[in-house]
Amino acid sequence: TISYFKAATLAVFVSIFAVTAGAQETKPVEPQDGQNPAVNQQSDIRNNALRQLGLSREQAQQIRRMNMERKPLMDQAQMRLREANRSLDEAIYADQVNDADVQARLKELQLAQADVARIRFMNELSVRKILTPDQLTRFRELRQRFEQARENIERRNIIRKNANKNRDAFAPGQTRPIIRPNAQKPPE
């Protein structure tokens, strides 16, 4: 499961990279009233990553064309995956459970997942073939930084979640024990 998660994370990063490859040729958009600044920040991060790779105009155009061709295939595959997921869920929670039906729908879900993964990874391979050796090295470094940032965010979320659990474990008005990391126990 962890390797699938890492693969999915990598696929998302490459997809972000590939989808925004044409951004080098456009000027950044200034935020307008009511527009989410986080969206603009994410766009800035992508554009900065693309600049760091130093894609040529031809490379950016190749990636843009590739993505335009891939998008309908990916949309269809993702729709099939959502439908297979919904269908499996319905089979599992039906009034009368039919094991053969559940197994058939599980197989459909697995095939749909495999199709989505195949499209993503073939896209990554196509992008990889467009990059020069220097760009590939820079891309690996960016990907590593992205992975480290994702792991840091994940760790902070776990710590925050655990802190909230500990805080909520006490009834209102109940005192919480004070924990001092290097405090010595009093003599008995």
Side-chain angles (χ1 to χ4, degrees), residues 13-91:
F13 180 71
V14 169
S15 295
I16 289 170
F17 162 73
V19 167
T20 59
Q24 285 185 322
E25 299 175 23
T26 60
K27 294 191 295 187
V29 177
E30 294 297 318
Q32 299 174 357
D33 292 335
Q35 195 173 22
N36 185 352
V39 171
N40 288 328
Q41 182 181 9
Q42 189 176 24
S43 179
D44 290 343
I45 291 168
R46 290 179 199 149
N47 290 337
N48 186 35
L50 292 171
R51 272 187 234 103
Q52 288 179 24
L53 283 178
L55 293 178
S56 69
R57 182 177 295 273
E58 294 79 25
Q59 288 174 310
Q61 289 173 348
Q62 282 180 298
I63 292 171
R64 192 178 320 111
R65 269 194 309 275
M66 187 177 59
N67 284 327
M68 288 173 54
E69 292 169 4
R70 181 191 59 89
K71 186 177 180 345
L73 296 173
M74 182 56 89
D75 289 347
Q76 184 180 15
Q78 288 176 331
M79 186 172 65
R80 181 176 161 221
L81 178 59
R82 284 189 301 274
E83 289 171 0
N85 196 25
R86 189 173 21 255
S87 179
L88 176 59
D89 192 56
E90 289 170 1

Side-chain angles (χ1 to χ4, degrees), residues 5-171:
F5 180 71
K6 285 184 178 181
T9 301
L10 174 60
V12 168
F13 180 71
V14 169
S15 295
I16 289 170
F17 162 73
V19 167
T20 59
Q24 285 185 322
E25 299 175 23
T26 60
K27 294 191 295 187
V29 177
E30 294 297 318
Q32 299 174 357
D33 292 335
Q35 195 173 22
N36 185 352
V39 171
N40 288 328
Q41 182 181 9
Q42 189 176 24
S43 179
D44 290 343
I45 291 168
R46 290 179 199 149
N47 290 337
N48 186 35
L50 292 171
R51 272 187 234 103
Q52 288 179 24
L53 283 178
L55 293 178
S56 69
R57 182 177 295 273
E58 294 79 25
Q59 288 174 310
Q61 289 173 348
Q62 282 180 298
I63 292 171
R64 192 178 320 111
R65 269 194 309 275
M66 187 177 59
N67 284 327
M68 288 173 54
E69 292 169 4
R70 181 191 59 89
K71 186 177 180 345
L73 296 173
M74 182 56 89
D75 289 347
Q76 184 180 15
Q78 288 176 331
M79 186 172 65
R80 181 176 161 221
L81 178 59
R82 284 189 301 274
E83 289 171 0
N85 196 25
R86 189 173 21 255
S87 179
L88 176 59
D89 192 56
E90 289 170 1
I92 290 172
Y93 293 104
D95 291 338
Q96 297 295 320
V97 177
N98 179 332
D99 287 342
D101 190 33
V102 169
Q103 290 301 319
R105 292 178 188 209
L106 178 59
K107 179 88 171 162
E108 289 173 16
L109 177 74
Q110 291 169 333
L111 291 171
Q113 285 174 327
D115 197 32
V116 168
R118 181 188 58 77
I119 293 168
R120 278 193 179 125
F121 290 116
M122 293 309 294
N123 188 62
E124 287 184 40
L125 178 61
S126 297
V127 169
R128 190 256 180 264
K129 288 178 180 178
I130 292 171
L131 299 178
T132 66
D134 288 341
Q135 290 169 333
L136 180 61
T137 300
R138 278 182 255 148
F139 178 79
R140 287 178 183 145
E141 292 167 358
L142 289 170
R143 186 177 69 183
Q144 185 177 9
R145 280 190 255 152
F146 176 81
E147 180 68 21
Q148 288 171 342
R150 186 200 56 77
E151 288 173 0
N152 289 340
I153 290 169
E154 197 173 285
R155 261 189 241 112
R156 282 190 299 244
N157 288 341
I158 289 170
I159 291 169
R160 191 176 303 123
K161 184 177 179 181
N162 288 338
N164 288 339
K165 278 184 186 178
N166 290 338
R167 184 189 70 222
D168 295 341
F170 294 91

